[in-house]
Amino acid sequence: MNRLIPVVSDRDIASLYRDTPIGLLLQYHDLQRPFETYNQAQLLIGMCMDHRKHLHIPDNFAYIIRAGGANLRYSEFKVSYAIAVGEVGCITLIGHNHCGMVNLHSKREAFIKGLVENAGWDREWAEQHFIHFAPMFEIGNEVDFVLSEAKRLRLRYPKILIAPLLYRIEDSLLYQLRED
């Protein structure tokens, strides 16, 4: 994971993100900056639905969309709403290590069995559900996916500042990602 850039001081925040809501996010979460009061969201955060992640941010600071793997492909109307109506000018995509959306094929049987036993599904329906949707939600490598999703969204929303970040489960910190 040599593409991770830790934030241990204000100087570590990329110059592109300093003095922006993205810089504030990194200060609040990683550097424990004291909270300010917000009446309107400053940015949109797209992050994984995983239960192991919790952001240290003030109330009303951000719109947050949680989707498996931080995959916003199927949430674009919500993204557009946050930009058009919510007037946010920044998006942060937060992937995390040990993501369940990586190598979904290896979870096929557990997925099918879980739907049958926990939800009362017919096995054939559960199999078809997995076959139909798993390819749409497989993200491959967490870092590569967040970088590619940031690139895709930059093309879609060229006036919006977009930052790909990674949340490490082991230390609960956010890391900037090298994009070279």
Side-chain angles (χ1 to χ4, degrees):
M1 293 243 180
N2 59 355
R3 294 188 284 178
L4 303 184
I5 304 168
V7 176
V8 294
S9 77
D10 288 331
R11 292 182 308 279
D12 296 321
I13 298 172
S15 60
L16 181 63
Y17 304 140
R18 284 188 205 133
D19 302 317
T20 72
I22 296 165
L24 286 172
L25 168 66
L26 291 166
Q27 289 175 328
Y28 287 135
H29 186 80
D30 285 1
L31 304 178
Q32 303 302 304
R33 175 186 173 131
F35 286 173
E36 296 171 37
T37 301
Y38 295 93
N39 294 318
Q40 181 176 347
Q42 304 299 297
L43 78 156
L44 169 64
I45 297 171
M47 63 189 292
C48 189
M49 62 187 227
D50 191 289
H51 66 282
R52 297 171 290 176
K53 297 183 325 308
H54 173 76
L55 296 178
H56 182 72
I57 57 174
D59 290 341
N60 304 317
F61 178 67
Y63 290 107
I64 300 175
I65 298 173
R66 285 189 173 249
N71 181 348
L72 298 185
R73 277 181 255 164
Y74 305 102
S75 298
E76 274 200 23
F77 186 83
K78 297 171 200 171
V79 172
S80 296
Y81 182 91
I83 293 166
V85 179
E87 299 180 351
V88 299
C90 301
I91 298 173
T92 302
L93 293 171
I94 304 174
H96 67 95
N97 60 336
H98 310 300
C99 183
M101 294 293 114
V102 171
N103 193 14
L104 276 175
H105 184 71
S106 70
K107 300 165 185 82
R108 182 180 191 275
E109 192 51 42
F111 182 94
I112 292 166
K113 182 180 177 190
L115 282 178
V116 170
E117 293 178 3
N118 301 332
W121 283 38
D122 175 79
R123 181 169 178 84
E124 186 176 326
W125 289 356
E127 288 172 349
Q128 289 305 311
H129 190 61
F130 185 87
I131 289 167
H132 180 76
F133 287 104
M136 296 166 61
F137 293 97
E138 167 68 47
I139 66 165
N141 172 284
E142 300 97 335
V143 171
D144 291 338
F145 180 78
V146 170
L147 291 171
S148 69
E149 185 68 349
K151 182 183 276 189
R152 183 186 74 78
L153 289 170
R154 286 175 181 144
L155 292 171
R156 186 87 165 133
Y157 304 101
K159 290 176 127 183
I160 304 301
L161 179 62
I162 300 174
L165 303 176
L166 189 88
Y167 183 105
R168 284 190 67 233
I169 298 296
E170 293 82 3
D171 60 16
S172 300
L173 295 175
L174 294 172
Y175 291 79
Q176 299 166 101
L177 296 175
R178 270 186 236 301
E179 295 192 59
D180 35 62

